[in-house]
Amino acid sequence: MTTAAPPVRTRPRRGRTPGQIVLTLLGTAVSAVFLAPLAWALFTSLKSETEAVEVPPHWLPKDWTGQAWSAMLDNGNITNWFVNSLVVSVCVTTIVLLVAALAGYGFARTEFRGKGVLMGLVMTGLMVSPAVLGVPLFTTVQQMGMVDTYWGMILPQCAPAAMVYILYKFFQGIPRELEEAAFIDGAGRWRVFFTIIVPLSRPSLAAVGIFTFISSWNNFLWPYMVTNNPDLMTMPNGIATVMNSYGIQWAQLMAGGLMASLPLIVVFVSFQRQIVAGVAHTGLAGQ
């Protein structure tokens, strides 16, 4: 004789509150605003050049074509631009992580004469636009003989004050007892940093690395200023050359922009958890 299974109790599904509905609608509207330029670029890249400049403009192509994408792949040096951007962005990200982590840890854990003055200089860097420093940086790079070189594009991007401050605030939140216990066991400052501090800082380091990579990949002004060699063009600089005697080729320009954005989209989608976790652990909440 089989016994009937006890009935499963299900909780009644609650309807959404007015506040949740408003937040959902607001989030949908904000998402639409941010996705609209991406959609416009995609639809424009699938138009012919003649249709792309029609007035008044229209969203969807009348005749769908991949001519702009084919022209970019055939005429543009996409592979070379991609490799240059990758080399510059990876090198900048690696150096920034090392410099910002060491500087932030030094400010957070060590006491030395002039610490307040140096920290003030770092904070001053947050208020200075990189565009203002373009001319003096170019003069310095030129005097060092690094124009039209990878190092000329990489080194001036490797001192971001914001990343130092983010890691500095995070290191301040790490309990000192962990380090003191390691010092009692005979560990030195460098061993404590690499075996205790760095593993605990992975979320913040990941966020800093991703933000730095995206910023370096999108940097147009500095690589444009420091190099005239077509073989050293990065993706933003290469795409800006999509012109002919009749002017800008808008469909090709949109296709090239989407090609340049694909790596960033992949990076963001792949590491979005690290980005959220890093921002949550930087110690900036409520500041």
Side-chain angles (χ1 to χ4, degrees):
M1 181 176 180
T2 59
T3 58
V8 179
R9 295 182 179 180
T10 58
R11 295 182 178 180
R13 187 174 182 180
R14 297 179 179 179
R16 291 189 175 185
T17 63
Q20 291 176 331
I21 296 175
V22 171
L23 289 177
T24 301
L25 295 176
L26 182 61
T28 303
V30 172
S31 300
V33 170
F34 280 97
L35 290 176
L38 188 63
W40 178 262
L42 177 60
F43 292 141
T44 302
S45 69
L46 297 175
K47 299 176 182 178
S48 63
E49 292 295 343
T50 303
E51 188 178 355
V53 295
E54 285 185 354
V55 179
H58 50 86
W59 275 83
L60 296 178
K62 298 176 182 176
D63 297 319
W64 297 76
T65 177
Q67 181 181 0
W69 291 80
S70 300
M72 279 297 301
L73 293 174
D74 294 337
N75 302 327
N77 199 352
I78 299 295
T79 303
N80 192 35
W81 299 342
F82 180 87
V83 171
N84 291 337
S85 290
L86 189 63
V87 169
V88 172
S89 299
V90 169
C91 290
V92 169
T93 302
T94 303
I95 297 174
V96 165
L97 283 175
L98 181 62
V99 172
L102 291 174
Y105 181 70
F107 283 125
R109 285 295 190 262
T110 59
E111 297 296 333
F112 54 90
R113 183 176 298 178
K115 174 182 175 180
V117 176
L118 289 178
M119 195 63 197
L121 290 176
V122 173
M123 294 296 98
T124 303
L126 295 173
M127 298 180 288
V128 179
S129 172
V132 176
L133 303 176
V135 174
L137 277 177
F138 178 79
T139 303
T140 303
V141 169
Q142 187 179 38
Q143 293 174 349
M144 296 176 66
M146 292 191 298
V147 175
D148 284 336
T149 63
Y150 278 125
W151 288 115
M153 291 188 287
I154 293 170
L155 292 180
Q157 302 184 58
C158 294
M163 304 307 172
V164 174
Y165 181 72
I166 289 174
L167 293 179
Y168 162 71
K169 295 298 293 184
F170 177 80
F171 292 146
Q172 278 189 323
I174 296 178
R176 291 181 178 267
E177 290 77 8
L178 297 174
E179 298 169 81
E180 293 172 355
F183 291 145
I184 293 174
D185 290 338
R189 178 69 70 178
W190 286 101
R191 184 176 179 182
V192 168
F193 176 74
F194 285 107
T195 60
I196 296 178
I197 301 300
V198 171
L200 291 175
S201 308
R202 286 178 181 175
S204 291
L205 290 175
V208 168
I210 293 169
F211 293 149
T212 303
F213 182 87
I214 293 175
S215 176
S216 179
W217 184 278
N218 288 330
N219 194 344
F220 170 81
L221 181 60
W222 179 248
Y224 179 78
M225 292 178 60
V226 81
T227 179
N228 295 316
N229 188 350
D231 294 332
L232 292 178
M233 282 186 177
T234 58
M235 286 292 286
N237 300 135
I239 294 170
T241 63
V242 181
M243 300 179 64
N244 63 9
S245 58
Y246 298 100
I248 300 174
Q249 304 296 296
W250 288 106
Q252 294 183 34
L253 187 64
M254 295 299 177
L258 290 173
M259 290 180 187
S261 302
L262 286 177
L264 301 184
I265 295 174
V266 172
V267 168
F268 183 81
V269 172
S270 301
F271 297 98
Q272 56 182 330
R273 292 184 179 179
Q274 286 81 352
I275 294 175
V276 174
V279 173
H281 288 84
T282 51
L284 295 177
Q287 296 291 327

